[in-house]
Amino acid sequence: MKRTLAIISQVVIGLTFIVSGIVKCIDPIGTSIKFHDYFAVLGLDWLNDWTLFLSWVLCLLEFLIGLNVLFARNLRFFATLAGLFMLVFTPLTLYLALENPVRDCGCFGDAIVLSNWETFWKNVVLSVCVVLLLLYRSFCYQPTRKDFATIITYWELAIAIGLCYIGTNLLPLIDFRPYRPGVNILSAMGSESDSDDLTYVCVYEKDGEKKEFLLTELPEEGSGWEFVETKELTNDGKKATVEEPAISDFFLFDEFGGDYTETVLTDSNYTFLLVSPNLATAEEKYLDRIENLYEYSIEEGYNFYCVTLNDSVQVNRWKYRTGAEYDFLYSDATILETVIRANPGVVLLKEGTILWKSCLSKLDVDAITSAKLTEQTYGEIIDDNAKTKVFWLLFLMLSPIIVYLPIEKIVLSLKAKKDKSNTQKTNI
């Protein structure tokens, strides 16, 4: 019985921490955004400059804990670490479930979204497993020799670091968010109502107080107000009835507060969006690519907008530094960071459908501008091949185990036969 409980706990904790860690490694910026949400709720805004670093630490540490528990390597140390995680996060998730200051905990990134209560009960189960693991760790199953477990740990850690690097400096290897190529944003918003019949208001929260703002009255970045959701109100002020849309908070408006959301999402022409959650920290290394793409869009008659925060100071500074002549639209930073993790990044739309998106460093402007979009693949939906990427990622992670374990079994079997033969000769 003890052995059964120990092995069940070992597998549950190991796999949960591995999955939680690896999906965070794929999208470390998403985890850093979630840290921002937590710090705002807990009054720890002074830690905001460290969110990306803390994201890396959390991703890799969770992954290492899960890996070492599953392979029963340094079990006492890593089981204790898992216990410390549960001591911190179980009370925290209980608070989140009771007060609901953020919509979800982000424990599995955007890959698996759990409600705050689901997260709390998940942590209760994990806490029980951690206690059983600490009590009965001597009964745990060790699937392979310790030296090979060490090799596996370094191999998997290198993969995890590589995923973090790609997700931070390029784009996440696998996009778990609803803004994927092929998605029609307007359809995903679940709204077929005429925009003239609706008023959009944004709900923000500060010090536990929630307040609704019109698009023309959004609070300044850094004022302490945190974006919660967007609401659609009918002309009589009642909330529009919409069934749990995949995208519920996408909006665009111009400098006068005019709603441009449906204007952009229903346009049958190609529309380039230069998306920047924060122009103050936007990368300026590839400004020539932006300019070339903008000139190309003008020549071919395509739409081109820079979508960023409604901050006239930063917009004017960007125009002065870059000589930007394109039009600007505005939205919330959290929405823009969800659309694309790069700052800035480029998204191509047509009739509200995302055809593709790219960070500037990977943007092949020469190929894009070589012909009209209707005459090349860049004018069509470019699949991100998520299933293929998942397959090769799993293959890369599992290949050492798949190759080594049969070899280990053969070697041990030959060694056992040799030992048996030597014993028989000795007896003779």
Side-chain angles (χ1 to χ4, degrees):
M1 184 64 178
K2 290 181 180 180
R3 182 172 176 79
T4 301
L5 290 174
I7 293 175
I8 291 174
S9 300
Q10 176 187 4
V11 172
V12 169
I13 293 170
L15 292 181
T16 301
F17 272 80
I18 287 173
V19 173
S20 178
I22 204 66
V23 296
K24 289 188 179 77
C25 287
I26 290 172
D27 186 14
I29 293 179
T31 304
S32 73
I33 294 170
K34 188 57 66 175
F35 269 119
H36 272 282
D37 295 341
Y38 281 133
F39 292 157
V41 170
L42 301 174
L44 300 173
D45 294 332
W46 56 275
L47 285 172
N48 281 341
D49 291 339
W50 294 85
T51 53
L52 188 56
F53 170 76
L54 293 173
S55 172
W56 273 60
V57 171
L58 180 64
C59 300
L60 297 176
L61 191 55
E62 279 192 358
F63 186 65
L64 279 176
I65 289 173
L67 199 62
N68 282 280
V69 167
L70 194 62
F71 280 87
R73 181 177 177 270
N74 298 327
L75 197 52
R76 181 174 182 178
F77 175 74
F78 285 103
T80 302
L81 271 183
L84 292 175
F85 262 74
M86 292 301 100
L87 282 175
V88 173
F89 286 104
T90 304
L92 177 60
T93 51
L94 177 60
Y95 164 74
L96 296 178
L98 292 171
E99 300 297 329
N100 203 38
V102 295
R103 285 178 291 180
D104 64 89
C105 73
C107 52
F108 294 108
D110 291 307
I112 306 172
V113 179
L114 301 178
S115 70
N116 288 330
W117 276 113
E118 288 172 339
T119 301
F120 168 70
W121 290 116
K122 180 262 296 180
N123 284 347
V124 169
V125 172
L126 287 179
S127 297
V128 173
C129 289
V130 167
V131 172
L132 292 173
L133 188 65
L134 288 169
L135 289 174
Y136 305 135
R137 64 179 181 275
S138 59
F139 295 94
C140 285
Y141 174 67
Q142 190 169 342
T144 187
R145 290 171 12 192
K146 288 186 177 180
D147 56 349
F148 180 67
T150 301
I151 295 172
I152 283 290
T153 299
Y154 286 123
W155 174 270
E156 305 295 350
L157 180 61
I159 294 174
I161 292 173
L163 290 173
C164 282
Y165 178 83
I166 292 170
T168 301
N169 295 282
L170 302 173
L171 291 178
L173 182 68
I174 302 167
D175 194 348
F176 297 115
R177 294 153 294 153
Y179 298 95
R180 293 181 294 273
V183 170
N184 184 280
I185 298 176
L186 201 60
S187 297
M189 290 169 69
S191 174
E192 298 180 357
S193 302
D194 187 353
S195 59
D196 294 335
D197 297 329
L198 297 174
T199 299
Y200 294 90
V201 295
C202 298
V203 180
Y204 282 74
E205 185 172 8
K206 180 180 180 181
D207 299 329
E209 175 193 359
K210 289 185 178 180
K211 185 177 179 180
E212 295 180 354
F213 295 87
L214 294 173
L215 295 181
T216 55
E217 302 171 349
L218 296 182
E220 292 288 334
E221 187 76 6
S223 62
W225 289 98
E226 293 291 326
F227 176 79
V228 177
E229 63 177 336
T230 302
K231 288 184 179 179
E232 293 179 340
L233 303 180
T234 57
N235 286 335
D236 58 4
K238 295 181 180 179
K239 185 174 181 180
T241 55
V242 180
E243 296 181 359
E244 294 300 327
I247 297 174
S248 60
D249 51 8
F250 184 83
F251 62 87
L252 300 170
F253 62 97
D254 63 14
E255 59 183 320
F256 304 108
D259 181 20
Y260 257 69
T261 309
E262 288 203 26
T263 300
V264 172
L265 297 183
T266 58
D267 198 319
S268 59
N269 195 7
Y270 289 103
T271 300
F272 287 99
L273 298 182
L274 177 67
V275 181
S276 174
N278 188 353
L279 285 176
T281 58
E283 184 181 22
E284 298 184 19
K285 185 177 179 181
Y286 301 100
L287 292 178
D288 58 322
R289 299 185 182 184
I290 298 174
E291 186 61 28
N292 291 341
L293 195 62
Y294 171 63
E295 291 177 357
Y296 166 74
S297 67
I298 295 299
E299 291 173 3
E300 299 297 341
Y302 305 139
N303 302 315
F304 191 104
Y305 300 102
C306 178
V307 187
T308 186
L309 292 176
N310 185 18
D311 187 333
S312 59
V313 175
Q314 293 301 335
V315 169
N316 288 331
R317 285 178 180 174
W318 178 263
K319 288 180 178 179
Y320 176 77
R321 292 199 309 268
T322 66
E325 297 179 352
Y326 34 79
D327 293 329
F328 283 75
L329 296 176
Y330 305 100
S331 192
D332 179 81
T334 302
I335 294 173
L336 301 180
E337 288 171 332
T338 305
V339 172
I340 190 167
R341 295 304 193 207
N343 183 27
V346 175
V347 180
L348 181 63
L349 300 176
K350 187 174 185 182
E351 294 183 299
T353 298
I354 299 174
L355 302 184
W356 52 262
K357 53 186 178 178
S358 174
C359 57
L360 290 182
S361 61
K362 291 295 182 180
L363 190 66
D364 192 349
V365 175
D366 291 338
I368 296 170
T369 59
S370 62
K372 292 180 179 293
L373 289 175
T374 53
E375 301 172 357
Q376 55 173 312
T377 56
Y378 280 103
E380 303 170 355
I381 296 172
I382 300 179
D383 190 2
D384 61 354
N385 297 313
K387 292 182 179 179
T388 302
K389 290 177 181 177
V390 169
F391 171 80
W392 284 111
L393 178 59
L394 289 174
F395 177 80
L396 187 64
M397 294 178 68
L398 296 176
S399 56
I401 303 171
I402 295 171
V403 171
Y404 178 82
L405 287 181
I407 295 175
E408 183 185 48
K409 297 300 181 184
I410 293 171
V411 170
L412 291 176
S413 176
L414 291 175
K415 185 178 179 182
K417 288 181 179 180
K418 184 177 179 180
D419 291 342
K420 182 178 180 180
S421 176
N422 290 336
T423 302
Q424 290 176 344
K425 288 180 180 179
T426 302
N427 292 336
I428 293 174

PDB file of all heavy atoms in Angstrom, residues 29-30 34 94 129 172 201 216 230 377 384 408:
ATOM      1  N   ILE A  29       6.874  35.199 -21.412  1.00  0.00           N
ATOM      2  CA  ILE A  29       6.319  36.551 -21.315  1.00  0.00           C
ATOM      3  C   ILE A  29       4.891  36.496 -20.771  1.00  0.00           C
ATOM      4  O   ILE A  29       4.476  37.361 -19.997  1.00  0.00           O
ATOM      5  CB  ILE A  29       6.359  37.262 -22.682  1.00  0.00           C
ATOM      6  CG1 ILE A  29       7.813  37.508 -23.089  1.00  0.00           C
ATOM      7  CG2 ILE A  29       5.602  38.579 -22.641  1.00  0.00           C
ATOM      8  CD1 ILE A  29       7.990  38.185 -24.425  1.00  0.00           C
ATOM      9  N   GLY A  30       4.142  35.471 -21.146  1.00  0.00           N
ATOM     10  CA  GLY A  30       2.801  35.301 -20.599  1.00  0.00           C
ATOM     11  C   GLY A  30       2.836  35.131 -19.091  1.00  0.00           C
ATOM     12  O   GLY A  30       1.989  35.673 -18.368  1.00  0.00           O
ATOM     13  N   LYS A  34       1.347  37.539 -15.973  1.00  0.00           N
ATOM     14  CA  LYS A  34       0.581  37.054 -14.832  1.00  0.00           C
ATOM     15  C   LYS A  34       1.207  37.522 -13.517  1.00  0.00           C
ATOM     16  O   LYS A  34       0.485  37.846 -12.562  1.00  0.00           O
ATOM     17  CB  LYS A  34       0.505  35.526 -14.876  1.00  0.00           C
ATOM     18  CG  LYS A  34      -0.423  34.915 -13.840  1.00  0.00           C
ATOM     19  CD  LYS A  34      -1.833  35.444 -13.952  1.00  0.00           C
ATOM     20  CE  LYS A  34      -2.509  35.038 -15.233  1.00  0.00           C
ATOM     21  NZ  LYS A  34      -3.938  35.475 -15.257  1.00  0.00           N
ATOM     22  N   LEU A  94      -6.319  29.872  -2.623  1.00  0.00           N
ATOM     23  CA  LEU A  94      -7.554  29.957  -1.839  1.00  0.00           C
ATOM     24  C   LEU A  94      -8.030  31.408  -1.785  1.00  0.00           C
ATOM     25  O   LEU A  94      -9.223  31.697  -1.960  1.00  0.00           O
ATOM     26  CB  LEU A  94      -7.333  29.425  -0.423  1.00  0.00           C
ATOM     27  CG  LEU A  94      -8.545  29.539   0.516  1.00  0.00           C
ATOM     28  CD1 LEU A  94      -9.742  28.772  -0.041  1.00  0.00           C
ATOM     29  CD2 LEU A  94      -8.183  29.041   1.917  1.00  0.00           C
ATOM     30  N   CYS A 129      -0.415  14.788  -2.138  1.00  0.00           N
ATOM     31  CA  CYS A 129       0.588  13.947  -2.795  1.00  0.00           C
ATOM     32  C   CYS A 129       1.995  14.268  -2.295  1.00  0.00           C
ATOM     33  O   CYS A 129       2.823  13.363  -2.132  1.00  0.00           O
ATOM     34  CB  CYS A 129       0.518  14.127  -4.312  1.00  0.00           C
ATOM     35  SG  CYS A 129      -0.944  13.405  -5.084  1.00  0.00           S
ATOM     36  N   PRO A 172       6.564  32.701 -28.978  1.00  0.00           N
ATOM     37  CA  PRO A 172       6.416  31.353 -28.412  1.00  0.00           C
ATOM     38  C   PRO A 172       6.398  30.286 -29.510  1.00  0.00           C
ATOM     39  O   PRO A 172       5.775  30.478 -30.554  1.00  0.00           O
ATOM     40  CB  PRO A 172       5.069  31.432 -27.683  1.00  0.00           C
ATOM     41  CG  PRO A 172       4.914  32.874 -27.331  1.00  0.00           C
ATOM     42  CD  PRO A 172       5.536  33.623 -28.470  1.00  0.00           C
ATOM     43  N   VAL A 201     -17.257  49.428 -22.894  1.00  0.00           N
ATOM     44  CA  VAL A 201     -16.639  49.984 -21.693  1.00  0.00           C
ATOM     45  C   VAL A 201     -15.607  48.980 -21.189  1.00  0.00           C
ATOM     46  O   VAL A 201     -15.769  47.767 -21.361  1.00  0.00           O
ATOM     47  CB  VAL A 201     -17.669  50.277 -20.583  1.00  0.00           C
ATOM     48  CG1 VAL A 201     -18.629  51.363 -20.997  1.00  0.00           C
ATOM     49  CG2 VAL A 201     -18.413  49.013 -20.174  1.00  0.00           C
ATOM     50  N   THR A 216     -12.652  56.514 -24.366  1.00  0.00           N
ATOM     51  CA  THR A 216     -11.983  57.824 -24.392  1.00  0.00           C
ATOM     52  C   THR A 216     -11.441  58.234 -23.035  1.00  0.00           C
ATOM     53  O   THR A 216     -10.778  59.261 -22.917  1.00  0.00           O
ATOM     54  CB  THR A 216     -12.978  58.907 -24.867  1.00  0.00           C
ATOM     55  OG1 THR A 216     -14.146  58.862 -24.024  1.00  0.00           O
ATOM     56  CG2 THR A 216     -13.363  58.689 -26.311  1.00  0.00           C
ATOM     57  N   THR A 230     -13.494  43.703 -21.033  1.00  0.00           N
ATOM     58  CA  THR A 230     -14.272  44.640 -21.824  1.00  0.00           C
ATOM     59  C   THR A 230     -15.727  44.205 -21.794  1.00  0.00           C
ATOM     60  O   THR A 230     -16.019  43.011 -21.905  1.00  0.00           O
ATOM     61  CB  THR A 230     -13.789  44.671 -23.284  1.00  0.00           C
ATOM     62  OG1 THR A 230     -12.411  45.022 -23.308  1.00  0.00           O
ATOM     63  CG2 THR A 230     -14.566  45.677 -24.102  1.00  0.00           C
ATOM     64  N   THR A 377       2.162  33.453 -51.102  1.00  0.00           N
ATOM     65  CA  THR A 377       1.668  32.767 -49.902  1.00  0.00           C
ATOM     66  C   THR A 377       1.500  33.709 -48.720  1.00  0.00           C
ATOM     67  O   THR A 377       0.726  33.417 -47.805  1.00  0.00           O
ATOM     68  CB  THR A 377       2.632  31.637 -49.497  1.00  0.00           C
ATOM     69  OG1 THR A 377       3.953  32.178 -49.313  1.00  0.00           O
ATOM     70  CG2 THR A 377       2.677  30.557 -50.559  1.00  0.00           C
ATOM     71  N   ASP A 384       0.573  27.808 -38.303  1.00  0.00           N
ATOM     72  CA  ASP A 384       1.722  27.774 -37.389  1.00  0.00           C
ATOM     73  C   ASP A 384       2.169  26.354 -37.062  1.00  0.00           C
ATOM     74  O   ASP A 384       3.108  26.149 -36.280  1.00  0.00           O
ATOM     75  CB  ASP A 384       1.399  28.529 -36.092  1.00  0.00           C
ATOM     76  CG  ASP A 384       0.223  27.916 -35.337  1.00  0.00           C
ATOM     77  OD1 ASP A 384      -0.408  26.980 -35.871  1.00  0.00           O
ATOM     78  OD2 ASP A 384      -0.064  28.387 -34.220  1.00  0.00           O
ATOM     79  N   GLU A 408      19.754  -0.072 -21.908  1.00  0.00           N
ATOM     80  CA  GLU A 408      20.040  -0.378 -20.503  1.00  0.00           C
ATOM     81  C   GLU A 408      19.509  -1.757 -20.126  1.00  0.00           C
ATOM     82  O   GLU A 408      20.196  -2.534 -19.442  1.00  0.00           O
ATOM     83  CB  GLU A 408      19.412   0.694 -19.608  1.00  0.00           C
ATOM     84  CG  GLU A 408      19.737   0.473 -18.128  1.00  0.00           C
ATOM     85  CD  GLU A 408      19.018   1.471 -17.236  1.00  0.00           C
ATOM     86  OE1 GLU A 408      17.802   1.657 -17.404  1.00  0.00           O
ATOM     87  OE2 GLU A 408      19.680   2.060 -16.365  1.00  0.00           O
TER      88      GLU A 408
END
